[in-house]
Amino acid sequence: MYKGPSIQIENITKRYRSAQEDSLSQVSLQINQADVFGLLGPNGAGKTTLISILCGIISPSQGYVHYYINGKEITEKQRRSQIGFVPQEYAFYQELTAKQNLDYFGAMYNISRQDLSLRTHELLTELGLGKVADKEVSTFSGGMKRRVNLAIGLIHKPAILFLDEPTVGVDVQSRNAIIKYLEKINSTGTTIVYTSHHMSEAEEFCNRIALIDHGRVVTEGELSDLLTENNATSLQSLFIKLTGEAYRD
C-alpha cells in the first residue's frame, strides 16, 4: 500500500476579519495516506479553523494545501468527491428516516440508484442501524444519531475522512462500534484526520498526532516517539505538559 503524503499543508495562516491575532500561524504538516492523524489541542487552539480550511469550507489567508491519491496530486474539483467530513453537529434531516437521509446525501454525489442502494444497506448494516433504517432519525438515541452522521460522511467512499469529535456524548457501545468501523476502513487505505477531547480514545486510535495551541503546531509525529521525547506516560500527560494547565474558554 502507498504510504506517501495524502495531505501536504504548507505555511497555513488564517486571520479573520476584524481579528487582532491569527487563528492559525504558519502551520505546516504532512499527513500520509492511511494515517489516523489526530489534530489535538485546547479549546480555541485553531483545530476547527484548520479542519475547515482542509475541507474547503473557508480559505486560508496565506499558504497552501495539496491533496494526493496514491501519490498523484488531485485538483480542487476532484478533491470534493474524495473528501468526507463528519462534523460535531448533527448534519442530517431529523424528520427523514436513516435510509432517506443516506439516499438524499448520496444523490448529491451523483451515485447511481443501484450503487446507492447497495452502499446505504452496507453502511446501515455495518453501523448497527439496519433494523431502524425506515424509522425517523428524530426517534434515535444520541449514539444512533452519531452513527447516522458517520454514515452520511462515508456514503461516497471518500479516500480522506475528517472527523470532528465523532464520539462525543455517546455510550460505550456506540463509541466502540464507531471506532471499530473506522479502524476497518482505515486498514483498507482510508486516511483519517481526527479531532477529539477524549485523550484515551485518541491515544488508542491515532498513529500520529499534532498538538496545536494558539494557532501554532506545538509538536507532531508518531505518538510513541513524542511520549519518549517528552518523558510522558500518556497522551493526556503529554497534552498537559505542552499546553499547560490553565483554564481555556
Side-chain angles (χ1 to χ4, degrees):
M1 185 186 296
Y2 173 77
K3 289 296 291 181
S6 182
I7 308 172
Q8 193 78 46
I9 303 166
E10 299 180 0
N11 298 315
I12 289 293
T13 294
K14 178 65 179 180
R15 178 174 294 191
Y16 293 98
R17 288 182 182 178
S18 75
Q20 300 296 314
E21 298 179 351
D22 293 335
S23 294
L24 294 171
S25 182
Q26 300 291 305
V27 172
S28 294
L29 293 168
Q30 178 173 304
I31 299 170
N32 293 325
Q33 186 165 321
D35 269 350
V36 179
F37 194 96
L39 286 175
L40 308 175
N43 290 338
K47 305 184 300 297
T48 299
T49 295
L50 181 56
I51 286 183
S52 296
I53 290 171
L54 296 181
C55 291
I57 298 170
I58 62 174
S59 299
S61 302
Q62 297 177 13
Y64 303 92
V65 182
H66 302 277
Y67 285 82
Y68 303 86
I69 303 295
N70 294 323
K72 182 178 180 180
E73 187 167 7
I74 59 175
T75 65
E76 183 175 346
K77 185 176 181 179
Q78 292 171 321
R79 192 182 308 170
R80 292 170 187 164
S81 65
Q82 295 293 336
I83 287 176
F85 177 45
V86 181
Q88 182 175 346
E89 300 80 13
Y90 294 139
F92 47 68
Y93 293 98
Q94 299 268 4
E95 67 274 17
L96 298 182
T97 69
K99 184 178 181 299
Q100 287 171 336
N101 268 287
L102 291 184
D103 286 346
Y104 174 81
F105 287 100
M108 295 174 67
Y109 291 99
N110 296 317
I111 304 172
S112 72
R113 184 171 297 179
Q114 182 178 4
D115 288 345
L116 181 54
S117 178
L118 291 172
R119 180 62 172 162
T120 296
H121 177 76
E122 174 193 357
L123 284 169
L124 292 176
T125 301
E126 286 275 6
L127 293 169
L129 297 167
K131 293 182 178 179
V132 294
D134 295 314
K135 291 189 176 182
E136 287 188 11
V137 178
S138 61
T139 67
F140 287 7
S141 68
M144 294 164 71
K145 289 178 179 180
R146 285 286 162 207
R147 283 178 269 154
V148 173
N149 231 28
L150 177 59
I152 290 169
L154 288 168
I155 191 66
H156 58 300
K157 297 183 179 179
I160 303 167
L161 180 65
F162 292 91
L163 302 168
D164 188 4
E165 299 278 3
T167 63
V168 65
V170 305
D171 56 75
V172 173
Q173 288 79 8
S174 289
R175 177 176 292 133
N176 184 61
I178 288 169
I179 294 299
K180 277 193 171 183
Y181 187 68
L182 292 173
E183 289 173 340
K184 179 180 177 179
I185 64 171
N186 173 249
S187 71
T188 65
T190 302
T191 304
I192 295 176
V193 182
Y194 158 99
T195 182
S196 177
H197 286 99
H198 291 287
M199 291 296 106
S200 58
E201 179 180 285
E203 185 167 0
E204 292 180 8
F205 185 44
C206 302
N207 67 301
R208 297 180 62 231
I209 67 162
L211 285 183
I212 299 175
D213 199 13
H214 302 295
R216 296 179 180 273
V217 176
V218 177
T219 190
E220 62 94 12
E222 299 280 343
L223 179 56
S224 57
D225 293 339
L226 297 179
L227 293 177
T228 301
E229 291 167 10
N230 292 277
N231 195 28
T233 58
S234 66
L235 177 55
Q236 179 168 314
S237 64
L238 175 69
F239 187 96
I240 294 296
K241 184 172 185 177
L242 296 181
T243 63
E245 299 182 359
Y247 287 112
R248 301 298 180 96
D249 297 326

